[in-house]
Amino acid sequence: MNWSQYSTLKSAGSISFAKKKQTTREAVAEVKAVDAVEWEGKPTDDNTVAEIKSFMDTNSIDYSAGDSKSELLGKIPAYKKNAVIGQPSQPKQEREYIALVSKQWDSGTGEALTDSIHEYSLYDLEREKKHYDSEIARAKAQSDELAKAIADFKKV
């Protein structure tokens, strides 16, 4: 930011400080706990290999053609669906900040563009001012010493 233009831009309504909000986490709905779901008609040793394979085909459970009855039964998970642990709802989280909002335009068409938004804190602004103040002090010291050199030069 060219701070030397701040007052002019502010007077023209092209720049201003504004409070803004940023979502840091979206709201999360409550997840209810669900017990494990048992299989309906889960095969046992009493079923034939063909019946077990039919059950596995219906429930999209993989097996090999040469699997024995005990191997097939071992590939069927204990539960159709594992338990789901509950989770309480969580509210949306936002943070507020202060930003310098600058109006932007397309130089070719004059059409308004999306505003430029730059977050600032008081610390940021004070640090930047301190930097410029120290540059002024250095320039003043250079100028004062140069004035003494000019005076000495004129004596010769």
PDB file of all heavy atoms in Angstrom, residues 73-113:
ATOM      1  N   LEU A  73     -17.059 -69.374   4.838  1.00  0.00           N
ATOM      2  CA  LEU A  73     -17.666 -68.835   6.070  1.00  0.00           C
ATOM      3  C   LEU A  73     -16.711 -67.866   6.775  1.00  0.00           C
ATOM      4  O   LEU A  73     -17.138 -66.873   7.355  1.00  0.00           O
ATOM      5  CB  LEU A  73     -18.072 -69.984   7.006  1.00  0.00           C
ATOM      6  CG  LEU A  73     -19.243 -70.842   6.522  1.00  0.00           C
ATOM      7  CD1 LEU A  73     -19.430 -72.051   7.437  1.00  0.00           C
ATOM      8  CD2 LEU A  73     -20.511 -70.021   6.441  1.00  0.00           C
ATOM      9  N   GLY A  74     -15.403 -68.119   6.689  1.00  0.00           N
ATOM     10  CA  GLY A  74     -14.413 -67.253   7.314  1.00  0.00           C
ATOM     11  C   GLY A  74     -14.295 -65.889   6.635  1.00  0.00           C
ATOM     12  O   GLY A  74     -13.825 -64.920   7.233  1.00  0.00           O
ATOM     13  N   LYS A  75     -14.718 -65.806   5.378  1.00  0.00           N
ATOM     14  CA  LYS A  75     -14.645 -64.537   4.642  1.00  0.00           C
ATOM     15  C   LYS A  75     -15.863 -63.637   4.866  1.00  0.00           C
ATOM     16  O   LYS A  75     -15.870 -62.483   4.456  1.00  0.00           O
ATOM     17  CB  LYS A  75     -14.463 -64.805   3.146  1.00  0.00           C
ATOM     18  CG  LYS A  75     -13.097 -65.389   2.830  1.00  0.00           C
ATOM     19  CD  LYS A  75     -12.906 -65.591   1.352  1.00  0.00           C
ATOM     20  CE  LYS A  75     -11.495 -66.120   1.084  1.00  0.00           C
ATOM     21  NZ  LYS A  75     -11.210 -66.251  -0.335  1.00  0.00           N
ATOM     22  N   ILE A  76     -16.875 -64.157   5.507  1.00  0.00           N
ATOM     23  CA  ILE A  76     -18.064 -63.336   5.787  1.00  0.00           C
ATOM     24  C   ILE A  76     -17.796 -62.569   7.076  1.00  0.00           C
ATOM     25  O   ILE A  76     -17.569 -63.175   8.124  1.00  0.00           O
ATOM     26  CB  ILE A  76     -19.334 -64.219   5.935  1.00  0.00           C
ATOM     27  CG1 ILE A  76     -19.582 -64.993   4.636  1.00  0.00           C
ATOM     28  CG2 ILE A  76     -20.535 -63.352   6.305  1.00  0.00           C
ATOM     29  CD1 ILE A  76     -20.690 -66.027   4.738  1.00  0.00           C
ATOM     30  N   PRO A  77     -17.820 -61.224   7.007  1.00  0.00           N
ATOM     31  CA  PRO A  77     -17.555 -60.436   8.215  1.00  0.00           C
ATOM     32  C   PRO A  77     -18.564 -60.763   9.307  1.00  0.00           C
ATOM     33  O   PRO A  77     -19.691 -61.191   9.038  1.00  0.00           O
ATOM     34  CB  PRO A  77     -17.722 -58.981   7.742  1.00  0.00           C
ATOM     35  CG  PRO A  77     -17.610 -59.025   6.266  1.00  0.00           C
ATOM     36  CD  PRO A  77     -18.081 -60.386   5.846  1.00  0.00           C
ATOM     37  N   ALA A  78     -18.151 -60.534  10.547  1.00  0.00           N
ATOM     38  CA  ALA A  78     -19.020 -60.830  11.692  1.00  0.00           C
ATOM     39  C   ALA A  78     -20.295 -59.999  11.638  1.00  0.00           C
ATOM     40  O   ALA A  78     -21.365 -60.471  12.023  1.00  0.00           O
ATOM     41  CB  ALA A  78     -18.279 -60.572  12.993  1.00  0.00           C
ATOM     42  N   TYR A  79     -20.176 -58.760  11.164  1.00  0.00           N
ATOM     43  CA  TYR A  79     -21.339 -57.880  11.102  1.00  0.00           C
ATOM     44  C   TYR A  79     -21.482 -57.316   9.701  1.00  0.00           C
ATOM     45  O   TYR A  79     -20.498 -57.098   8.990  1.00  0.00           O
ATOM     46  CB  TYR A  79     -21.201 -56.715  12.096  1.00  0.00           C
ATOM     47  CG  TYR A  79     -21.149 -57.171  13.529  1.00  0.00           C
ATOM     48  CD1 TYR A  79     -19.938 -57.285  14.197  1.00  0.00           C
ATOM     49  CD2 TYR A  79     -22.305 -57.502  14.207  1.00  0.00           C
ATOM     50  CE1 TYR A  79     -19.888 -57.716  15.505  1.00  0.00           C
ATOM     51  CE2 TYR A  79     -22.271 -57.937  15.516  1.00  0.00           C
ATOM     52  CZ  TYR A  79     -21.063 -58.050  16.163  1.00  0.00           C
ATOM     53  OH  TYR A  79     -21.035 -58.482  17.465  1.00  0.00           O
ATOM     54  N   LYS A  80     -22.723 -57.077   9.301  1.00  0.00           N
ATOM     55  CA  LYS A  80     -23.002 -56.489   7.999  1.00  0.00           C
ATOM     56  C   LYS A  80     -22.453 -55.062   7.956  1.00  0.00           C
ATOM     57  O   LYS A  80     -21.903 -54.627   6.957  1.00  0.00           O
ATOM     58  CB  LYS A  80     -24.508 -56.485   7.742  1.00  0.00           C
ATOM     59  CG  LYS A  80     -24.902 -55.933   6.406  1.00  0.00           C
ATOM     60  CD  LYS A  80     -26.404 -56.065   6.198  1.00  0.00           C
ATOM     61  CE  LYS A  80     -26.805 -55.565   4.826  1.00  0.00           C
ATOM     62  NZ  LYS A  80     -28.247 -55.746   4.604  1.00  0.00           N
ATOM     63  N   LYS A  81     -22.611 -54.364   9.062  1.00  0.00           N
ATOM     64  CA  LYS A  81     -22.150 -52.984   9.149  1.00  0.00           C
ATOM     65  C   LYS A  81     -21.569 -52.801  10.536  1.00  0.00           C
ATOM     66  O   LYS A  81     -22.177 -53.164  11.530  1.00  0.00           O
ATOM     67  CB  LYS A  81     -23.330 -52.034   8.918  1.00  0.00           C
ATOM     68  CG  LYS A  81     -22.978 -50.585   8.930  1.00  0.00           C
ATOM     69  CD  LYS A  81     -24.217 -49.751   8.609  1.00  0.00           C
ATOM     70  CE  LYS A  81     -23.910 -48.287   8.691  1.00  0.00           C
ATOM     71  NZ  LYS A  81     -25.117 -47.480   8.484  1.00  0.00           N
ATOM     72  N   ASN A  82     -20.351 -52.235  10.589  1.00  0.00           N
ATOM     73  CA  ASN A  82     -19.717 -52.000  11.878  1.00  0.00           C
ATOM     74  C   ASN A  82     -20.415 -50.868  12.619  1.00  0.00           C
ATOM     75  O   ASN A  82     -21.102 -50.043  12.025  1.00  0.00           O
ATOM     76  CB  ASN A  82     -18.240 -51.664  11.699  1.00  0.00           C
ATOM     77  CG  ASN A  82     -17.441 -52.860  11.234  1.00  0.00           C
ATOM     78  OD1 ASN A  82     -17.790 -53.996  11.550  1.00  0.00           O
ATOM     79  ND2 ASN A  82     -16.382 -52.616  10.472  1.00  0.00           N
ATOM     80  N   ALA A  83     -20.208 -50.839  13.923  1.00  0.00           N
ATOM     81  CA  ALA A  83     -20.812 -49.799  14.745  1.00  0.00           C
ATOM     82  C   ALA A  83     -20.237 -48.424  14.356  1.00  0.00           C
ATOM     83  O   ALA A  83     -19.089 -48.306  13.960  1.00  0.00           O
ATOM     84  CB  ALA A  83     -20.544 -50.070  16.222  1.00  0.00           C
ATOM     85  N   VAL A  84     -21.079 -47.398  14.464  1.00  0.00           N
ATOM     86  CA  VAL A  84     -20.666 -46.024  14.209  1.00  0.00           C
ATOM     87  C   VAL A  84     -20.675 -45.295  15.547  1.00  0.00           C
ATOM     88  O   VAL A  84     -21.663 -45.320  16.267  1.00  0.00           O
ATOM     89  CB  VAL A  84     -21.637 -45.326  13.220  1.00  0.00           C
ATOM     90  CG1 VAL A  84     -21.274 -43.864  13.055  1.00  0.00           C
ATOM     91  CG2 VAL A  84     -21.635 -46.040  11.887  1.00  0.00           C
ATOM     92  N   ILE A  85     -19.545 -44.695  15.872  1.00  0.00           N
ATOM     93  CA  ILE A  85     -19.445 -43.965  17.138  1.00  0.00           C
ATOM     94  C   ILE A  85     -20.107 -42.619  16.960  1.00  0.00           C
ATOM     95  O   ILE A  85     -19.924 -41.936  15.955  1.00  0.00           O
ATOM     96  CB  ILE A  85     -17.969 -43.788  17.544  1.00  0.00           C
ATOM     97  CG1 ILE A  85     -17.344 -45.170  17.745  1.00  0.00           C
ATOM     98  CG2 ILE A  85     -17.829 -42.936  18.780  1.00  0.00           C
ATOM     99  CD1 ILE A  85     -15.852 -45.153  17.918  1.00  0.00           C
ATOM    100  N   GLY A  86     -20.903 -42.219  17.955  1.00  0.00           N
ATOM    101  CA  GLY A  86     -21.598 -40.936  17.892  1.00  0.00           C
ATOM    102  C   GLY A  86     -20.642 -39.759  18.003  1.00  0.00           C
ATOM    103  O   GLY A  86     -19.529 -39.878  18.512  1.00  0.00           O
ATOM    104  N   GLN A  87     -21.089 -38.612  17.491  1.00  0.00           N
ATOM    105  CA  GLN A  87     -20.300 -37.389  17.565  1.00  0.00           C
ATOM    106  C   GLN A  87     -21.272 -36.240  17.792  1.00  0.00           C
ATOM    107  O   GLN A  87     -22.251 -36.108  17.068  1.00  0.00           O
ATOM    108  CB  GLN A  87     -19.539 -37.191  16.253  1.00  0.00           C
ATOM    109  CG  GLN A  87     -18.752 -35.911  16.183  1.00  0.00           C
ATOM    110  CD  GLN A  87     -18.042 -35.767  14.840  1.00  0.00           C
ATOM    111  OE1 GLN A  87     -17.749 -36.727  14.160  1.00  0.00           O
ATOM    112  NE2 GLN A  87     -17.782 -34.543  14.464  1.00  0.00           N
ATOM    113  N   PRO A  88     -21.012 -35.417  18.809  1.00  0.00           N
ATOM    114  CA  PRO A  88     -21.925 -34.303  19.046  1.00  0.00           C
ATOM    115  C   PRO A  88     -21.825 -33.267  17.927  1.00  0.00           C
ATOM    116  O   PRO A  88     -20.816 -33.199  17.215  1.00  0.00           O
ATOM    117  CB  PRO A  88     -21.432 -33.716  20.373  1.00  0.00           C
ATOM    118  CG  PRO A  88     -20.001 -34.120  20.458  1.00  0.00           C
ATOM    119  CD  PRO A  88     -19.905 -35.433  19.745  1.00  0.00           C
ATOM    120  N   SER A  89     -22.876 -32.480  17.778  1.00  0.00           N
ATOM    121  CA  SER A  89     -22.836 -31.428  16.760  1.00  0.00           C
ATOM    122  C   SER A  89     -21.803 -30.378  17.153  1.00  0.00           C
ATOM    123  O   SER A  89     -21.483 -30.215  18.327  1.00  0.00           O
ATOM    124  CB  SER A  89     -24.208 -30.785  16.607  1.00  0.00           C
ATOM    125  OG  SER A  89     -24.570 -30.134  17.806  1.00  0.00           O
ATOM    126  N   GLN A  90     -21.258 -29.710  16.175  1.00  0.00           N
ATOM    127  CA  GLN A  90     -20.277 -28.652  16.421  1.00  0.00           C
ATOM    128  C   GLN A  90     -20.744 -27.420  15.666  1.00  0.00           C
ATOM    129  O   GLN A  90     -21.082 -27.506  14.481  1.00  0.00           O
ATOM    130  CB  GLN A  90     -18.889 -29.078  15.945  1.00  0.00           C
ATOM    131  CG  GLN A  90     -18.349 -30.260  16.706  1.00  0.00           C
ATOM    132  CD  GLN A  90     -16.985 -30.697  16.180  1.00  0.00           C
ATOM    133  OE1 GLN A  90     -16.433 -30.124  15.265  1.00  0.00           O
ATOM    134  NE2 GLN A  90     -16.448 -31.736  16.785  1.00  0.00           N
ATOM    135  N   PRO A  91     -20.766 -26.271  16.340  1.00  0.00           N
ATOM    136  CA  PRO A  91     -21.251 -25.062  15.684  1.00  0.00           C
ATOM    137  C   PRO A  91     -20.235 -24.534  14.672  1.00  0.00           C
ATOM    138  O   PRO A  91     -19.052 -24.861  14.725  1.00  0.00           O
ATOM    139  CB  PRO A  91     -21.404 -24.075  16.845  1.00  0.00           C
ATOM    140  CG  PRO A  91     -20.391 -24.524  17.851  1.00  0.00           C
ATOM    141  CD  PRO A  91     -20.359 -26.030  17.726  1.00  0.00           C
ATOM    142  N   LYS A  92     -20.724 -23.723  13.775  1.00  0.00           N
ATOM    143  CA  LYS A  92     -19.862 -23.036  12.818  1.00  0.00           C
ATOM    144  C   LYS A  92     -18.950 -22.101  13.606  1.00  0.00           C
ATOM    145  O   LYS A  92     -19.381 -21.453  14.547  1.00  0.00           O
ATOM    146  CB  LYS A  92     -20.738 -22.234  11.853  1.00  0.00           C
ATOM    147  CG  LYS A  92     -20.006 -21.423  10.836  1.00  0.00           C
ATOM    148  CD  LYS A  92     -21.020 -20.695   9.941  1.00  0.00           C
ATOM    149  CE  LYS A  92     -20.361 -19.897   8.863  1.00  0.00           C
ATOM    150  NZ  LYS A  92     -21.359 -19.240   7.997  1.00  0.00           N
ATOM    151  N   GLN A  93     -17.674 -22.063  13.231  1.00  0.00           N
ATOM    152  CA  GLN A  93     -16.741 -21.161  13.903  1.00  0.00           C
ATOM    153  C   GLN A  93     -16.290 -20.097  12.914  1.00  0.00           C
ATOM    154  O   GLN A  93     -15.970 -20.409  11.763  1.00  0.00           O
ATOM    155  CB  GLN A  93     -15.524 -21.918  14.436  1.00  0.00           C
ATOM    156  CG  GLN A  93     -15.826 -22.732  15.658  1.00  0.00           C
ATOM    157  CD  GLN A  93     -14.565 -23.346  16.246  1.00  0.00           C
ATOM    158  OE1 GLN A  93     -13.524 -23.416  15.600  1.00  0.00           O
ATOM    159  NE2 GLN A  93     -14.657 -23.806  17.470  1.00  0.00           N
ATOM    160  N   GLU A  94     -16.288 -18.865  13.391  1.00  0.00           N
ATOM    161  CA  GLU A  94     -15.848 -17.750  12.577  1.00  0.00           C
ATOM    162  C   GLU A  94     -14.884 -16.900  13.387  1.00  0.00           C
ATOM    163  O   GLU A  94     -14.875 -16.956  14.607  1.00  0.00           O
ATOM    164  CB  GLU A  94     -17.036 -16.870  12.171  1.00  0.00           C
ATOM    165  CG  GLU A  94     -18.038 -17.532  11.274  1.00  0.00           C
ATOM    166  CD  GLU A  94     -19.180 -16.616  10.891  1.00  0.00           C
ATOM    167  OE1 GLU A  94     -19.643 -15.821  11.719  1.00  0.00           O
ATOM    168  OE2 GLU A  94     -19.605 -16.713   9.739  1.00  0.00           O
ATOM    169  N   ARG A  95     -14.078 -16.145  12.680  1.00  0.00           N
ATOM    170  CA  ARG A  95     -13.219 -15.178  13.346  1.00  0.00           C
ATOM    171  C   ARG A  95     -13.431 -13.841  12.679  1.00  0.00           C
ATOM    172  O   ARG A  95     -13.730 -13.756  11.482  1.00  0.00           O
ATOM    173  CB  ARG A  95     -11.753 -15.589  13.287  1.00  0.00           C
ATOM    174  CG  ARG A  95     -11.112 -15.459  11.925  1.00  0.00           C
ATOM    175  CD  ARG A  95      -9.615 -15.770  11.963  1.00  0.00           C
ATOM    176  NE  ARG A  95      -8.987 -15.408  10.721  1.00  0.00           N
ATOM    177  CZ  ARG A  95      -8.401 -14.250  10.471  1.00  0.00           C
ATOM    178  NH1 ARG A  95      -8.314 -13.328  11.401  1.00  0.00           N
ATOM    179  NH2 ARG A  95      -7.870 -13.996   9.285  1.00  0.00           N
ATOM    180  N   GLU A  96     -13.324 -12.785  13.467  1.00  0.00           N
ATOM    181  CA  GLU A  96     -13.447 -11.438  12.932  1.00  0.00           C
ATOM    182  C   GLU A  96     -12.061 -10.842  12.780  1.00  0.00           C
ATOM    183  O   GLU A  96     -11.164 -11.142  13.565  1.00  0.00           O
ATOM    184  CB  GLU A  96     -14.282 -10.562  13.865  1.00  0.00           C
ATOM    185  CG  GLU A  96     -15.761 -10.826  13.776  1.00  0.00           C
ATOM    186  CD  GLU A  96     -16.593  -9.762  14.496  1.00  0.00           C
ATOM    187  OE1 GLU A  96     -16.019  -8.850  15.136  1.00  0.00           O
ATOM    188  OE2 GLU A  96     -17.821  -9.852  14.406  1.00  0.00           O
ATOM    189  N   TYR A  97     -11.913 -10.019  11.781  1.00  0.00           N
ATOM    190  CA  TYR A  97     -10.654  -9.318  11.576  1.00  0.00           C
ATOM    191  C   TYR A  97     -10.952  -7.981  10.906  1.00  0.00           C
ATOM    192  O   TYR A  97     -12.067  -7.742  10.436  1.00  0.00           O
ATOM    193  CB  TYR A  97      -9.667 -10.152  10.753  1.00  0.00           C
ATOM    194  CG  TYR A  97     -10.119 -10.460   9.344  1.00  0.00           C
ATOM    195  CD1 TYR A  97      -9.683  -9.675   8.266  1.00  0.00           C
ATOM    196  CD2 TYR A  97     -10.958 -11.534   9.065  1.00  0.00           C
ATOM    197  CE1 TYR A  97     -10.078  -9.960   6.971  1.00  0.00           C
ATOM    198  CE2 TYR A  97     -11.350 -11.817   7.771  1.00  0.00           C
ATOM    199  CZ  TYR A  97     -10.908 -11.025   6.736  1.00  0.00           C
ATOM    200  OH  TYR A  97     -11.302 -11.307   5.462  1.00  0.00           O
ATOM    201  N   ILE A  98      -9.959  -7.112  10.886  1.00  0.00           N
ATOM    202  CA  ILE A  98     -10.107  -5.813  10.227  1.00  0.00           C
ATOM    203  C   ILE A  98      -9.267  -5.841   8.961  1.00  0.00           C
ATOM    204  O   ILE A  98      -8.115  -6.265   8.978  1.00  0.00           O
ATOM    205  CB  ILE A  98      -9.679  -4.664  11.162  1.00  0.00           C
ATOM    206  CG1 ILE A  98     -10.590  -4.639  12.392  1.00  0.00           C
ATOM    207  CG2 ILE A  98      -9.703  -3.333  10.423  1.00  0.00           C
ATOM    208  CD1 ILE A  98     -10.196  -3.622  13.438  1.00  0.00           C
ATOM    209  N   ALA A  99      -9.879  -5.379   7.883  1.00  0.00           N
ATOM    210  CA  ALA A  99      -9.201  -5.403   6.591  1.00  0.00           C
ATOM    211  C   ALA A  99      -9.270  -4.038   5.927  1.00  0.00           C
ATOM    212  O   ALA A  99     -10.216  -3.280   6.135  1.00  0.00           O
ATOM    213  CB  ALA A  99      -9.846  -6.443   5.687  1.00  0.00           C
ATOM    214  N   LEU A 100      -8.269  -3.763   5.131  1.00  0.00           N
ATOM    215  CA  LEU A 100      -8.266  -2.585   4.281  1.00  0.00           C
ATOM    216  C   LEU A 100      -8.878  -3.038   2.955  1.00  0.00           C
ATOM    217  O   LEU A 100      -8.343  -3.922   2.284  1.00  0.00           O
ATOM    218  CB  LEU A 100      -6.844  -2.068   4.070  1.00  0.00           C
ATOM    219  CG  LEU A 100      -6.721  -0.786   3.256  1.00  0.00           C
ATOM    220  CD1 LEU A 100      -7.392   0.379   3.992  1.00  0.00           C
ATOM    221  CD2 LEU A 100      -5.268  -0.454   2.998  1.00  0.00           C
ATOM    222  N   VAL A 101     -10.016  -2.461   2.623  1.00  0.00           N
ATOM    223  CA  VAL A 101     -10.739  -2.843   1.412  1.00  0.00           C
ATOM    224  C   VAL A 101     -10.509  -1.767   0.358  1.00  0.00           C
ATOM    225  O   VAL A 101     -10.798  -0.597   0.588  1.00  0.00           O
ATOM    226  CB  VAL A 101     -12.250  -2.998   1.707  1.00  0.00           C
ATOM    227  CG1 VAL A 101     -13.003  -3.410   0.447  1.00  0.00           C
ATOM    228  CG2 VAL A 101     -12.476  -4.005   2.833  1.00  0.00           C
ATOM    229  N   SER A 102      -9.970  -2.182  -0.777  1.00  0.00           N
ATOM    230  CA  SER A 102      -9.682  -1.248  -1.877  1.00  0.00           C
ATOM    231  C   SER A 102     -10.542  -1.600  -3.079  1.00  0.00           C
ATOM    232  O   SER A 102     -10.580  -2.757  -3.502  1.00  0.00           O
ATOM    233  CB  SER A 102      -8.212  -1.348  -2.292  1.00  0.00           C
ATOM    234  OG  SER A 102      -7.365  -1.117  -1.209  1.00  0.00           O
ATOM    235  N   LYS A 103     -11.213  -0.613  -3.618  1.00  0.00           N
ATOM    236  CA  LYS A 103     -12.002  -0.815  -4.837  1.00  0.00           C
ATOM    237  C   LYS A 103     -11.041  -1.042  -6.003  1.00  0.00           C
ATOM    238  O   LYS A 103      -9.996  -0.407  -6.092  1.00  0.00           O
ATOM    239  CB  LYS A 103     -12.882   0.407  -5.131  1.00  0.00           C
ATOM    240  CG  LYS A 103     -13.830   0.787  -4.013  1.00  0.00           C
ATOM    241  CD  LYS A 103     -14.969  -0.175  -3.949  1.00  0.00           C
ATOM    242  CE  LYS A 103     -15.947   0.271  -2.864  1.00  0.00           C
ATOM    243  NZ  LYS A 103     -16.803  -0.780  -2.434  1.00  0.00           N
ATOM    244  N   GLN A 104     -11.410  -1.943  -6.894  1.00  0.00           N
ATOM    245  CA  GLN A 104     -10.580  -2.264  -8.052  1.00  0.00           C
ATOM    246  C   GLN A 104     -11.415  -2.100  -9.321  1.00  0.00           C
ATOM    247  O   GLN A 104     -12.609  -2.425  -9.329  1.00  0.00           O
ATOM    248  CB  GLN A 104     -10.076  -3.714  -7.963  1.00  0.00           C
ATOM    249  CG  GLN A 104      -9.313  -4.045  -6.699  1.00  0.00           C
ATOM    250  CD  GLN A 104      -7.966  -3.365  -6.641  1.00  0.00           C
ATOM    251  OE1 GLN A 104      -7.193  -3.442  -7.579  1.00  0.00           O
ATOM    252  NE2 GLN A 104      -7.679  -2.693  -5.539  1.00  0.00           N
ATOM    253  N   TRP A 105     -10.775  -1.611 -10.391  1.00  0.00           N
ATOM    254  CA  TRP A 105     -11.447  -1.453 -11.665  1.00  0.00           C
ATOM    255  C   TRP A 105     -10.568  -1.989 -12.782  1.00  0.00           C
ATOM    256  O   TRP A 105      -9.351  -1.953 -12.688  1.00  0.00           O
ATOM    257  CB  TRP A 105     -11.748   0.030 -11.951  1.00  0.00           C
ATOM    258  CG  TRP A 105     -12.749   0.616 -11.034  1.00  0.00           C
ATOM    259  CD1 TRP A 105     -14.114   0.611 -11.175  1.00  0.00           C
ATOM    260  CD2 TRP A 105     -12.488   1.297  -9.815  1.00  0.00           C
ATOM    261  NE1 TRP A 105     -14.708   1.244 -10.109  1.00  0.00           N
ATOM    262  CE2 TRP A 105     -13.723   1.681  -9.257  1.00  0.00           C
ATOM    263  CE3 TRP A 105     -11.327   1.628  -9.112  1.00  0.00           C
ATOM    264  CZ2 TRP A 105     -13.836   2.365  -8.064  1.00  0.00           C
ATOM    265  CZ3 TRP A 105     -11.447   2.309  -7.918  1.00  0.00           C
ATOM    266  CH2 TRP A 105     -12.687   2.667  -7.409  1.00  0.00           C
ATOM    267  N   ASP A 106     -11.206  -2.437 -13.847  1.00  0.00           N
ATOM    268  CA  ASP A 106     -10.494  -2.849 -15.049  1.00  0.00           C
ATOM    269  C   ASP A 106     -10.075  -1.577 -15.773  1.00  0.00           C
ATOM    270  O   ASP A 106     -10.934  -0.758 -16.147  1.00  0.00           O
ATOM    271  CB  ASP A 106     -11.414  -3.698 -15.928  1.00  0.00           C
ATOM    272  CG  ASP A 106     -10.717  -4.223 -17.171  1.00  0.00           C
ATOM    273  OD1 ASP A 106     -10.132  -3.401 -17.910  1.00  0.00           O
ATOM    274  OD2 ASP A 106     -10.777  -5.435 -17.407  1.00  0.00           O
ATOM    275  N   SER A 107      -8.773  -1.372 -15.982  1.00  0.00           N
ATOM    276  CA  SER A 107      -8.284  -0.137 -16.602  1.00  0.00           C
ATOM    277  C   SER A 107      -8.738   0.014 -18.051  1.00  0.00           C
ATOM    278  O   SER A 107      -8.875   1.125 -18.542  1.00  0.00           O
ATOM    279  CB  SER A 107      -6.757  -0.058 -16.515  1.00  0.00           C
ATOM    280  OG  SER A 107      -6.180  -1.154 -17.192  1.00  0.00           O
ATOM    281  N   GLY A 108      -9.006  -1.079 -18.722  1.00  0.00           N
ATOM    282  CA  GLY A 108      -9.433  -1.017 -20.118  1.00  0.00           C
ATOM    283  C   GLY A 108     -10.907  -0.692 -20.273  1.00  0.00           C
ATOM    284  O   GLY A 108     -11.298   0.092 -21.128  1.00  0.00           O
ATOM    285  N   THR A 109     -11.740  -1.296 -19.424  1.00  0.00           N
ATOM    286  CA  THR A 109     -13.193  -1.133 -19.580  1.00  0.00           C
ATOM    287  C   THR A 109     -13.810  -0.225 -18.523  1.00  0.00           C
ATOM    288  O   THR A 109     -14.928   0.234 -18.687  1.00  0.00           O
ATOM    289  CB  THR A 109     -13.893  -2.503 -19.496  1.00  0.00           C
ATOM    290  OG1 THR A 109     -13.702  -3.036 -18.179  1.00  0.00           O
ATOM    291  CG2 THR A 109     -13.373  -3.460 -20.540  1.00  0.00           C
ATOM    292  N   GLY A 110     -13.083  -0.003 -17.424  1.00  0.00           N
ATOM    293  CA  GLY A 110     -13.652   0.775 -16.323  1.00  0.00           C
ATOM    294  C   GLY A 110     -14.632  -0.024 -15.486  1.00  0.00           C
ATOM    295  O   GLY A 110     -15.252   0.485 -14.566  1.00  0.00           O
ATOM    296  N   GLU A 111     -14.751  -1.297 -15.796  1.00  0.00           N
ATOM    297  CA  GLU A 111     -15.684  -2.178 -15.090  1.00  0.00           C
ATOM    298  C   GLU A 111     -15.153  -2.499 -13.693  1.00  0.00           C
ATOM    299  O   GLU A 111     -13.960  -2.724 -13.507  1.00  0.00           O
ATOM    300  CB  GLU A 111     -15.825  -3.468 -15.903  1.00  0.00           C
ATOM    301  CG  GLU A 111     -16.951  -4.360 -15.463  1.00  0.00           C
ATOM    302  CD  GLU A 111     -17.092  -5.557 -16.403  1.00  0.00           C
ATOM    303  OE1 GLU A 111     -16.983  -5.374 -17.631  1.00  0.00           O
ATOM    304  OE2 GLU A 111     -17.289  -6.665 -15.879  1.00  0.00           O
ATOM    305  N   ALA A 112     -16.053  -2.509 -12.699  1.00  0.00           N
ATOM    306  CA  ALA A 112     -15.658  -2.825 -11.331  1.00  0.00           C
ATOM    307  C   ALA A 112     -15.230  -4.282 -11.232  1.00  0.00           C
ATOM    308  O   ALA A 112     -15.854  -5.168 -11.807  1.00  0.00           O
ATOM    309  CB  ALA A 112     -16.809  -2.556 -10.373  1.00  0.00           C
ATOM    310  N   LEU A 113     -14.140  -4.515 -10.506  1.00  0.00           N
ATOM    311  CA  LEU A 113     -13.634  -5.857 -10.248  1.00  0.00           C
ATOM    312  C   LEU A 113     -13.855  -6.190  -8.780  1.00  0.00           C
ATOM    313  O   LEU A 113     -14.309  -5.350  -8.003  1.00  0.00           O
ATOM    314  CB  LEU A 113     -12.137  -5.931 -10.578  1.00  0.00           C
ATOM    315  CG  LEU A 113     -11.738  -5.580 -12.003  1.00  0.00           C
ATOM    316  CD1 LEU A 113     -10.227  -5.522 -12.137  1.00  0.00           C
ATOM    317  CD2 LEU A 113     -12.312  -6.611 -12.975  1.00  0.00           C
TER     318      LEU A 113
END
